[in-house]
Amino acid sequence: MGAPNYYEQMNADATSAKGLPRQFRHTDYRLLSGSDYLQLTPRLWDTEYDDKRFREGDWKFRFSVHNEDVPKAWNVFVDIVLKDQRRNPELHMAKVIKPALNTRFADATEGQAGKMITFYTNLNLEPDHYMKMVKTIEARFEEEGIRPG
């Protein structure tokens, strides 16, 4: 099946300051780059418009995948989020570790071990919506041979 290579594109664009990767230009999402994470956020987040479409909840999902599979897992994850936007006007927010943290987070003695992908909940969406998305993500991870962390 395979998803587009968002991870490498996002890392390259974030570090070179070229702007938003081509795959995101016609979506309601933007990329923010911190020192340790790439974050997918609503494009107009922090404005009244997107504050109504994304109201951060108290829950989040963490996906722990093998450190070598982080890029592949992020590609699958983002592909599912973008497809969900086509069916649903509400937005999502997530982050993934950058390559520099990848090896460190693979070490079981690291306090943040296993926290490779974080998926934040939106209060505008029912828990059932997230359960379906998580099942879809987990099934695609398995299909694509993505190993647990």
Side-chain angles (χ1 to χ4, degrees):
M1 194 174 240
N5 195 343
Y6 301 112
Y7 189 80
E8 282 185 25
Q9 178 74 40
M10 290 170 73
N11 268 304
D13 286 353
T15 56
S16 69
K18 287 183 184 175
L20 202 62
R22 178 180 46 77
Q23 295 97 332
F24 297 93
R25 290 191 183 130
H26 301 292
T27 72
D28 287 337
Y29 291 99
R30 68 178 176 179
L31 169 69
L32 298 177
S33 179
S35 58
D36 297 328
Y37 294 93
L38 292 170
Q39 190 169 20
L40 185 67
T41 68
R43 184 181 295 269
L44 301 173
W45 195 42
D46 296 331
T47 68
E48 185 177 332
Y49 172 71
D50 269 353
D51 280 349
K52 291 178 184 168
R53 292 179 65 202
F54 183 83
R55 296 181 310 128
E56 188 173 343
D58 294 330
W59 291 91
K60 57 188 156 198
F61 296 93
R62 294 251 168 86
F63 294 95
S64 178
V65 298
H66 191 280
N67 69 314
E68 293 172 6
D69 293 344
V70 169
K72 192 176 189 182
W74 182 248
N75 295 340
V76 167
F77 176 84
V78 171
D79 194 48
I80 291 168
V81 167
L82 293 179
K83 286 177 180 168
D84 188 63
Q85 183 197 357
R86 293 182 209 136
R87 297 184 297 268
N88 171 13
E90 303 301 339
L91 299 172
H92 302 289
M93 189 166 70
K95 70 181 180 181
V96 63
I97 60 170
K98 283 185 167 182
L101 276 187
N102 202 341
T103 304
R104 198 174 99 206
F105 277 30
D107 180 356
T109 63
E110 164 63 40
Q112 298 292 311
K115 297 178 180 179
M116 307 306 205
I117 297 173
T118 304
F119 185 26
Y120 298 91
T121 57
N122 181 342
L123 291 173
N124 295 333
L125 292 166
E126 295 295 322
D128 194 46
H129 185 85
Y130 283 104
M131 291 311 301
K132 289 175 186 171
M133 283 191 77
V134 168
K135 285 180 182 180
T136 300
I137 291 164
E138 289 176 339
R140 281 281 306 279
F141 281 3
E142 190 172 328
E143 263 177 50
E144 300 283 342
I146 295 166
R147 299 166 286 177

